[in-house]
Amino acid sequence: MCPICYISGFIAALFGGSFIAVVNHPISWLLSIILISYAVYKFYEAKKRGNKMSDEIGKINKPDSKEIIGKRKAFVCVLLQAPPEASKDLHELIQKYWDAVDNNISNLEGKTGVVKRIFVEGIPGKGEDVSVSLKEASLGAWNMLQERVNAGAEFEEFENLEILQKVIDWSKCLNSGLSNRSVAEKIAEELKKESESRLEFINNSIDKNLKEGESCIIFSGNQETNLPDDIEKFIISPPELDMVAQWVKNAQAAMEAQMREPVSYTHLTLPTK
């Protein structure tokens, strides 16, 4: 099983569900819907890609840093955050993940140039608006960016609000328990069209805002995000991500075991007349 896909899916479902339950905020609501919808896809992708991972590992040729200093670079990492009510262990593991991401990107910056642009999936707008929303969505990600922002890195537009809302609304319609096949096909068609428009907007925004020779960070649930051909992509996947994935797998196994346990009624006292 692909650990990146699995952890993205599980945390997305956990985090998204928590936001719907406890947070009443437009941006948080948008994020929760995206995360939950994306979780379903990531669980499927984890299973599909798992069989291919062993063959793919080792085939990636890392370009020499001297060759890419003048090129555009993108450091892509998974946006992880546990809901507030999650265990202390999970929060500590995710903090270790962000510390490792920070160190990995710092090492790359030392070889290829400092980060100038920041893109965040699921949050429309740019500048301070994105910063505030990211702090709510993932404090670990926000903290690791502060030194870079103070040094001049800027939050650029990644999402178009109107397109994002259409994707969310069509997704909600498709998951509403439709009974008519033709209606479901029509909704799926509209969802596909708007999803393609969203990906096109994202690609164009990166291409427009990331200047020649600059480096950027992309926070995304999908590390396979398509980028313009001339951008060198670095997938930031430290060992700590596997540690979080293992914790999640263990937690899921424990939950499933608990659900399989028979319910005992011996402690119940029947009412007497």
Side-chain angles (χ1 to χ4, degrees):
M1 177 173 286
C2 168
I4 293 175
C5 302
Y6 184 85
I7 185 64
S8 296
F10 194 90
I11 292 294
L14 194 64
F15 183 34
S18 173
F19 259 16
I20 284 180
V22 302
V23 180
N24 183 21
H25 189 282
I27 293 298
S28 300
W29 179 81
L30 289 174
L31 282 171
S32 66
I33 297 297
I34 290 174
L35 287 168
I36 291 173
S37 298
Y38 193 71
V40 177
Y41 164 71
K42 295 309 290 184
F43 283 132
Y44 167 73
E45 188 180 40
K47 183 177 180 180
K48 183 178 68 173
R49 295 189 60 204
N51 296 331
K52 299 181 180 179
M53 283 195 68
S54 296
D55 295 333
E56 292 175 351
I57 293 175
K59 293 183 180 179
I60 301 175
N61 296 318
K62 295 182 179 179
D64 188 281
S65 59
K66 295 181 180 179
E67 298 177 0
I68 63 172
I69 290 179
K71 295 183 178 181
R72 300 190 292 176
K73 287 83 61 179
F75 309 138
V76 185
C77 57
V78 176
L79 186 62
L80 290 185
Q81 171 73 355
E85 67 272 16
S87 74
K88 180 181 177 181
D89 290 343
L90 180 56
H91 281 284
E92 290 178 349
L93 282 175
I94 291 180
Q95 183 55 53
K96 290 180 180 179
Y97 163 75
W98 284 119
D99 291 341
V101 168
D102 189 13
N103 290 333
N104 286 3
I105 292 178
S106 293
N107 290 335
L108 286 169
E109 286 178 306
K111 299 175 182 178
T112 65
V114 299
V115 167
K116 293 292 187 181
R117 313 290 168 188
I118 304 164
F119 300 91
V120 185
E121 183 178 17
I123 301 179
K126 60 186 297 185
E128 187 63 21
D129 290 341
V130 177
S131 178
V132 171
S133 296
L134 178 62
K135 187 175 182 179
E136 294 181 9
S138 179
L139 185 59
W142 185 85
N143 283 333
M144 64 157 282
L145 292 174
Q146 292 314 292
E147 184 175 343
R148 295 174 174 90
V149 171
N150 292 336
E154 298 179 359
F155 288 95
E156 299 291 354
E157 187 175 31
F158 193 77
E159 299 275 10
N160 176 274
L161 178 59
E162 183 176 359
I163 297 175
L164 182 61
Q165 288 174 331
K166 289 180 180 179
V167 171
I168 292 171
D169 287 345
W170 284 122
S171 298
K172 290 168 63 181
C173 290
L174 195 61
N175 293 314
S176 62
L178 301 169
S179 58
N180 185 277
R181 181 175 179 179
S182 62
V183 172
E185 290 175 348
K186 177 63 175 177
I187 292 175
E189 180 182 338
E190 292 295 329
L191 175 59
K192 181 176 182 292
K193 182 179 71 174
E194 295 301 335
S195 296
E196 290 173 350
S197 296
R198 175 175 176 261
L199 293 177
E200 181 181 1
F201 179 89
I202 288 172
N203 193 278
N204 290 338
S205 181
I206 294 173
D207 193 30
K208 178 181 69 174
N209 291 294
L210 186 61
K211 309 304 180 185
E212 193 69 25
E214 289 185 343
S215 299
C216 72
I217 297 176
I218 299 177
F219 293 108
S220 174
N222 180 15
Q223 291 185 318
E224 302 303 319
T225 298
N226 290 326
L227 301 175
D229 294 337
D230 65 324
I231 295 180
E232 293 285 351
K233 180 167 69 172
F234 295 82
I235 295 178
I236 311 301
S237 181
E240 285 76 8
L241 185 60
D242 291 333
M243 295 169 60
V244 179
Q246 187 60 53
W247 187 96
V248 170
K249 290 172 69 176
N250 292 342
Q252 185 185 36
M255 290 170 58
E256 292 174 351
Q258 187 176 17
M259 292 176 64
R260 289 194 298 267
E261 290 181 358
V263 179
S264 174
Y265 297 97
T266 56
H267 67 283
L268 297 179
T269 303
L270 296 177
T272 57
K273 295 184 178 180

